[in-house]
Amino acid sequence: MPTPINERKLANAIRVLSFDAVQKANSGHPGAPMGMADIAEVLWRKFLKHNPADPSWHNRDRFVLSNGHGSMLIYSLLHLSGYDVSVDDLKGFRQLHSKTPGHPELGYTPGVETTTGPLGQGIANAVGFAIAEKTLAAQFNREGHNIVDHHTYAFLGDGCLMEGISHEVCSLAGTLALGKLVFFYDDNGISIDGNVEGWFTDDTQARFESYGWQVIKVDGHDTDAITQATEQAIKETTKPSLIICKTTIGAGSPNKQGLAASHGAPLGDDEIILTRDALSWTHAPFELDDEIYEAWDAKAKGDVQQKNWDADFEAYKKAYPELASELLRRLNGELPEDFESQAQAYIQQTQEAGGDVASRKASQNAINSLQPLLPELLGGSADLAGSNLTLFKGAKGIETDADGNYIYYGVREFGMTAIANGIALHGGFIPYVATFLMFMEYARNAVRMGALMKQRVIHVYTHDSIGLGEDGPTHQPVEQLTSLRTTPNLRTWRPCDATESASAWVEAIKSENNPSALIFSRQSLPHQARDSEQVANITKGGYVLAKEQGELQAIIIATGSEVGLAMEAYEKLSSNGIGVRVVSMPCAEIFVEQEASYREDVLPANIRARVAVEAAHVDYWYKFVGLDGKVIGMTTYGESAPADELYKEFGITTDAVVDAVNSLV
């Protein structure tokens, strides 16, 4: 059955807006928007539940453009369907401070659900959206009240499927039976280097069927076939669906369609003239018929959909007032009113209880105490729950309990982290994920993306140094703390005992616009004595743990397991008449944000005799000790041996700290 001319014209509006904007910017990727225009027209006009007047409506469908280089596709869709994205915004594509940056960026463009650029992470975020929807629905929906009920759709390309993260997350999505997750694969056979047959010959259908997905193949330019496939995907409620759409990249361009030439460069003025002619498009750049806007406008339909949901929610509120109030609190990202007081009481109890404990165990104690206050905590670990100690009393895996609160991610560090970003973006949960600090490297780019998007995701990293011992240098982190600390907007905590561990957890939970990395030890750490002011000052990232006896002559700065070592050095130096203080620095990023007067009180500028000690790479700490100070730490990889022997082998000892201070005083 031939495609009706009006639908083709509506899809062509996407094509023209996309190549015009790319041409004006003299930069961008016209091929994917032109090739996926027919798929986008079907999904957005016939199926997508959304309200352009309220992009944050809780029960909207989520749409993710994982192949984010084709960003003019989503910008065209947002403009056409009535979002606050104007023609001038399209003309400002890829320009400074515009609403239309080179790749979709969260917070720049109304209607963009997540930042997509690094290929594959968009589909991982989409899996996170689908997990959040399914779990939240199980926790809050009641018979006759499906108040959490939406789909997650994602567009993806060959590059997304070549990235290893696609295997991690799509495998898990099939296992979790995410029936409201629908992917559209732009199977155009082209990447930047040309025809992918030379390097990508996977049987994608068989691959996804082995994951437990429903797979449908269609002509990506046949709107009737796309419509039927989407209907079939929506009807399948026990499996996620992959719709493989065979398309032509740059469709409509007489000389560049089907070629890599249309992938990542403007078509060129001459080719645009030919393409307009081929599409029977007579309008000037960025000009469209009123009938096109009328056909695309989704505001009226979206308003009805949202009002219907509002009415349903009012009925739900009358039937289940406490559940309704709790759902709104969680969706709005608000903490319970009594959380702060109860959390502070727990921190104080931890300080009073004392006792030596591994900080990973102190972390588990904190989760056990805080999770009952926060049902929105959705935990998970990459197959190391017994080592990370992330399981808590009452933990229920979502793979067996739909309304659960814990995710067994399997050995999928990268996928786990990007999924957690999606869960946070969806709303209703505060996700935490865990692995060994060394294996943060597998997840590094997803950690960065969470920081870029300012999402409240809590990364639990244990086995934090050579102190993990016999597993050796493959498992012993050295440079990872520096990498995390130099990531903008990420807060990295390395607590020294149970009290600092509890404080770190509380601050991470309260940190609405920052992800946090909580770094915990395998080995037991000594409890440190503190007064109430010192306990309060933990939240400032750095504070004086041991004050000098007499005139201040030197400062020791330490974190985590090395704070105990610094305190031993303090006792020796003080007994020898050296006026030294110990500064515990559990979160350097927060410390440097404090007022100058506080920082000066803790680290007086006139005291140049400074020694930092941490069983990690030394370079980071020169910003605090200066070039004339000393840093005791690692400059090489570790070795396989018991922890005590390793600390001696690498010169991270009490005597080394004492000698360093004496050499500077």
Side-chain angles (χ1 to χ4, degrees):
M1 179 177 179
T3 302
I5 185 65
N6 63 319
E7 287 192 78
R8 180 68 69 195
K9 187 175 182 179
L10 295 175
N12 285 343
I14 298 172
R15 293 184 169 98
V16 175
L17 287 174
S18 297
F19 67 62
D20 278 342
V22 171
Q23 189 66 32
K24 187 176 188 304
N26 195 29
S27 176
H29 300 74
M34 295 173 72
M36 298 194 78
D38 300 302
I39 308 166
E41 185 270 327
V42 169
L43 176 63
W44 276 64
R45 291 189 62 251
K46 296 181 180 179
F47 296 99
L48 196 69
K49 180 175 64 177
H50 63 124
N51 184 2
D54 186 1
S56 62
W57 170 36
H58 292 309
N59 203 46
R60 68 193 182 278
D61 288 338
R62 289 350 186 236
F63 174 78
V64 177
L65 184 70
S66 186
N67 46 344
H69 54 272
S71 55
M72 269 310 305
L73 175 60
I74 193 169
Y75 299 149
S76 298
L77 289 165
L78 294 169
H79 168 71
L80 290 166
S81 56
Y83 286 80
D84 184 19
V85 179
S86 67
V87 168
D88 286 340
D89 292 325
L90 300 185
K91 291 178 179 178
F93 178 55
R94 289 190 163 221
Q95 305 308 301
L96 186 63
H97 302 312
S98 76
K99 285 185 181 179
T100 51
H103 290 77
E105 301 280 354
L106 184 72
Y108 285 72
T109 319
V112 167
E113 300 281 3
T114 180
T115 297
T116 51
L119 293 176
Q121 286 198 62
I123 59 177
N125 296 162
V127 172
F129 285 135
I131 289 173
E133 190 276 341
K134 183 177 182 180
T135 307
L136 202 65
Q139 292 179 357
F140 284 94
N141 287 353
R142 295 295 182 267
E143 186 174 352
H145 297 277
N146 290 329
I147 210 67
V148 179
D149 182 16
H150 68 78
H151 282 76
T152 299
Y153 300 99
F155 284 1
L156 56 140
D158 293 300
C160 294
L161 292 181
M162 282 186 261
E163 291 286 358
I165 191 174
S166 70
H167 165 70
E168 294 185 28
V169 303
C170 294
S171 166
L172 185 60
T175 298
L176 296 178
L178 301 178
K180 290 184 178 178
L181 180 65
V182 181
F183 286 176
F184 294 83
Y185 166 32
D186 180 28
D187 182 16
N188 62 38
I190 297 293
S191 65
I192 291 175
D193 282 347
N195 194 311
V196 301
E197 287 183 356
W199 48 87
F200 184 52
T201 57
D202 300 15
D203 185 338
T204 299
Q205 178 174 350
R207 171 186 167 188
F208 274 77
E209 286 174 344
S210 75
Y211 293 154
W213 288 55
Q214 172 181 234
V215 181
I216 309 164
K217 281 189 168 183
V218 299
D219 177 348
H221 301 297
D222 184 335
T223 57
D224 289 337
I226 299 165
T227 299
Q228 293 168 13
T230 308
E231 290 171 344
Q232 183 179 339
I234 291 171
K235 287 178 183 177
E236 175 53 73
T237 59
T238 62
K239 296 180 179 180
S241 294
L242 175 71
I243 303 175
I244 300 176
C245 304
K246 193 62 183 175
T247 63
T248 301
I249 192 170
S253 169
N255 296 305
K256 294 189 177 182
Q257 64 182 3
L259 302 175
S262 68
H263 182 281
L267 296 182
D269 291 331
D270 292 341
E271 186 66 15
I272 282 179
I273 292 172
L274 295 174
T275 305
R276 273 188 152 76
D277 185 57
L279 298 176
S280 300
W281 198 269
T282 58
H283 299 293
F286 301 104
E287 290 185 5
L288 301 176
D289 291 336
D290 288 342
E291 66 176 359
I292 291 177
Y293 280 117
E294 290 171 5
W296 266 106
D297 196 335
K299 293 194 294 294
K301 180 181 178 182
D303 182 62
V304 170
Q305 290 173 325
Q306 184 166 354
K307 284 180 177 176
N308 288 340
W309 183 83
D310 288 342
D312 291 341
F313 189 76
E314 285 301 313
Y316 177 74
K317 194 188 309 185
K318 290 179 181 178
Y320 303 98
E322 292 183 3
L323 276 177
S325 176
E326 176 72 356
L327 176 60
L328 285 180
R329 177 190 72 76
R330 287 173 54 172
L331 287 173
N332 292 331
E334 301 167 356
L335 298 178
E337 289 184 5
D338 61 347
F339 175 77
E340 179 67 15
S341 60
Q342 295 201 53
Q344 294 306 319
Y346 171 69
I347 293 170
Q348 189 58 43
Q349 290 167 8
T350 302
Q351 177 62 31
E352 292 171 358
D356 297 355
V357 64
S359 57
R360 62 171 174 161
K361 180 59 180 177
S363 168
Q364 186 180 49
N365 294 341
I367 300 171
N368 278 326
S369 296
L370 298 173
Q371 197 280 333
L373 309 178
L374 291 168
E376 59 262 46
L377 271 184
L378 183 59
S381 179
D383 202 50
L384 291 168
S387 294
N388 298 141
L389 302 185
T390 50
L391 281 170
F392 52 89
K393 297 172 184 175
K396 297 190 303 180
I398 65 169
E399 80 288 350
T400 55
D401 293 282
D403 64 344
N405 50 24
Y406 194 86
I407 302 173
Y408 291 90
Y409 282 103
V411 186
R412 298 180 174 97
E413 294 89 354
F414 190 8
M416 168 185 74
T417 308
I419 286 171
N421 288 339
I423 292 171
L425 287 161
H426 179 278
F429 295 100
I430 300 174
Y432 70 84
V433 292
T435 186
F436 289 174
L437 177 56
M438 185 63 248
F439 302 134
M440 176 278 297
E441 294 291 355
Y442 283 131
R444 181 74 186 90
N445 200 263
V447 175
R448 181 181 187 272
M449 294 300 288
L452 183 63
M453 294 188 286
K454 302 179 180 179
Q455 292 305 297
R456 179 162 44 185
V457 177
I458 301 172
H459 307 282
V460 176
Y461 297 130
T462 66
H463 296 61
D464 65 344
S465 71
I466 58 171
L468 66 89
E470 292 86 345
D471 276 334
T474 61
H475 283 53
Q476 293 166 3
V478 172
E479 71 276 25
Q480 285 64 41
L481 279 168
T482 294
S483 175
L484 291 169
R485 287 175 177 140
T486 55
T487 301
N489 207 49
L490 177 68
R491 292 179 170 175
T492 301
W493 290 83
R494 187 171 184 246
C496 75
D497 66 0
T499 303
E500 286 191 0
S501 298
S503 294
W505 261 106
V506 171
E507 291 306 301
I509 288 167
K510 290 163 56 179
S511 186
E512 295 182 33
N513 298 310
N514 305 83
S516 299
L518 310 185
I519 315 299
F520 298 118
S521 72
R522 176 177 184 254
Q523 71 272 34
S524 182
L525 306 181
H527 173 73
Q528 301 298 334
R530 299 176 186 83
D531 59 29
S532 58
E533 182 179 3
Q534 288 172 310
V535 172
N537 283 341
I538 294 172
T539 64
K540 296 180 180 179
Y543 63 102
V544 178
L545 178 62
K547 192 171 177 59
E548 63 277 5
Q549 298 175 21
E551 182 183 355
L552 178 61
Q553 296 173 273
I555 302 171
I556 304 171
I557 306 169
T559 79
S561 50
E562 287 68 65
V563 169
L565 187 152
M567 290 297 291
E568 292 174 358
Y570 168 84
E571 296 295 338
K572 287 188 175 183
L573 290 162
S574 297
S575 66
N576 289 331
I578 303 296
V580 63
R581 69 170 51 169
V582 173
V583 171
S584 178
M585 189 82 74
C587 187
E589 304 89 82
I590 292 179
F591 177 74
V592 298
E593 293 173 356
Q594 303 305 306
E595 293 183 358
S597 59
Y598 177 78
R599 286 184 278 117
E600 175 64 18
D601 285 343
V602 175
L603 297 175
N606 66 312
I607 304 300
R608 305 289 293 177
R610 300 182 182 189
V611 175
V613 54
E614 184 177 63
H617 202 282
V618 299
D619 280 5
Y620 178 81
W621 290 103
Y622 286 105
K623 67 187 289 183
F624 290 104
V625 304
L627 294 179
D628 50 352
K630 291 192 174 182
V631 183
I632 295 172
M634 300 293 292
T635 58
T636 68
Y637 295 115
E639 294 287 348
S640 178
D644 290 347
E645 293 181 24
L646 290 172
Y647 273 82
K648 293 176 184 176
E649 172 70 18
F650 291 103
I652 306 174
T653 64
T654 300
D655 287 343
V657 177
V658 170
D659 291 344
V661 171
N662 283 329
S663 71
L664 295 173
V665 173

